[in-house]
Every structure is written in C-alpha cells, then in structure tokens.
Amino acid sequence: MAQAHSGSTLLRMGSDPTEKRFLTRWIVANSAGWLLGVVVVLLLAALLESTHFGNAVYLGAGMGWSVGFAQWLIARKWFDATSGWMWASTIGITTPFLFADLVRMRDLSSLVLPVLAAAGGLLSGLMQISSLRSHSAKADRWVVVSAVAWMCPALLVQFVAVPRHPRTTLESVRNIGSLGLGGVVLGAVTGAALVWLLNVRERSASA
C-alpha cells in the first residue's frame, strides 16, 4: 500500500510547485548522502582494518549516517526534524549489519544484503516516527516505507552490480549505475511517501 501511494504521489508532483520543490531537494540530498556514504564506508574500512572485526558494520554505519545526515538537512527545514532523525538512521541501519558481523556472516550475497537493509530501514523508521507524529496521523506507516525504501537500492546493487572486478565497459557501467542510482531510488520512495504522509503543500517551507 505504501508503494502504491508513493507512486500516485509521484504522478501528482508536477501539479504543485511546493511538493515538486520538496521532492527534488529530498532526492538530491539522498543521492548526495548515498555517494558520501560510499566514501565514508571506504574510509571506515581503511581506518579500522586492523580490528579485523568485519566489513558489514562499516557498510551499515557509513551509509546510515551519511544518508541520515543528508535527509536531516532537508527534514529540519520542512518538518522540524531534530538531529535525532540522523542518529535514528545511523543506529537503525548499523544494527543489522553489526549483528551480521557478530554472527560471522561474511557473505552478503544472494538476498542477505536486501534483508539486512530492510531490517535497518525498519529499525530506523521506528525511531523516526516521533519526528512525524505531530504532523501526520499516518506517521506509523513510515516504518513500512522506510523498510521498503532501504531494501530497494540494496536489491539494485545485488542484482545489477557485478560482484567481481568488472572486465568489460558494460560491467563497469552496471557497477557505477547501481551505486549511483541507489540514492535516487531511496530518495524517490521516501520523498514521495513523505509528501503523502505530511501533505507538504500546506506547509510554509522556509527552504
């Protein structure tokens, strides 16, 4: 149901400049946060390599914090979200990946990565509800939206990216595309859902 509402919201975007402005800024922020997350993950992996703890937690912490930070920069202006939004994303996305490291789950192939991402989205969504409840009676549905939204780019990476070092130009394009579009997909799903949940056309945006 959340996906259906998100899709119909996207179709209405062109009719309201306030909604369109919000969605555009939200998608751009998520895309930038996603790309920043790739850099942060690589830095964490390099800095903490000597711990030999595991790689999954770097992925969760890097992407969770970076995307959460980027979302918060927009959310604080449009629906008064506090920095708790960012930390909810960081803690929520990191937790399943930390669990994967604790149980020595070294292989994130098959559907493991999307499942971990969905679990992280679920947890972060649960913690972010408090930022939405005062603005929407449908805030509880954000939990499902968040889970689906985080699972989508993970599925994109899982099924489009080449797990080995790319050997052809097409394989390189697939890898770069899956990484680059992850934030766009995440931003589109969550942004459309927020427009539906919060009815941003009625908000006096200071952004």
Side-chain angles (χ1 to χ4, degrees):
M1 181 175 291
Q3 286 179 303
H5 281 289
S6 298
S8 62
T9 304
L10 277 172
L11 294 176
R12 297 198 311 268
M13 276 299 115
S15 63
D16 191 284
T18 303
E19 291 179 346
K20 185 176 181 179
R21 186 167 66 252
F22 168 77
L23 186 62
T24 299
R25 294 183 181 184
W26 184 264
I27 292 176
V28 170
N30 277 265
S31 300
W34 186 268
L35 295 177
L36 174 62
V38 174
V39 176
V40 173
V41 169
L42 294 175
L43 288 174
L44 288 175
L47 291 173
L48 303 176
E49 184 177 9
S50 59
T51 62
H52 301 291
F53 182 73
N55 295 323
V57 69
Y58 309 147
L59 179 61
M63 299 306 292
W65 177 82
S66 298
V67 172
F69 174 70
Q71 289 181 344
W72 170 65
L73 291 178
I74 304 299
R76 64 178 180 171
K77 297 179 180 179
W78 286 83
F79 52 92
D80 303 319
T82 67
S83 59
W85 183 279
M86 171 182 64
W87 295 117
S89 176
T90 304
I91 296 170
I93 302 300
T94 301
T95 300
F97 288 89
L98 174 61
F99 173 78
D101 279 339
L102 290 175
V103 299
R104 306 297 181 183
M105 190 182 296
R106 302 299 185 190
D107 186 8
L108 298 184
S109 60
S110 187
L111 293 178
V112 175
L113 180 60
V115 168
L116 291 176
L122 184 73
L123 291 174
S124 61
L126 280 170
M127 291 184 282
Q128 289 168 339
I129 284 179
S130 60
S131 297
L132 302 174
R133 278 211 172 110
S134 61
H135 302 296
S136 174
K138 301 174 287 190
D140 289 349
R141 301 184 186 185
W142 175 251
V143 178
V144 177
V145 170
S146 182
V148 172
W150 277 95
M151 181 178 64
C152 286
L155 285 171
L156 184 67
V157 171
Q158 189 66 52
F159 291 110
V160 176
V162 178
R164 63 179 185 277
H165 183 76
R167 298 174 182 173
T168 66
T169 301
L170 178 59
E171 289 183 347
S172 297
V173 170
R174 285 172 59 184
N175 282 2
I176 295 172
S178 62
L179 287 175
L181 290 176
V184 177
V185 172
L186 178 61
V189 175
T190 53
L194 284 171
V195 170
W196 167 59
L197 290 172
L198 303 176
N199 197 11
V200 297
R201 69 163 70 97
E202 298 178 358
R203 302 198 172 283
S204 55
S206 59

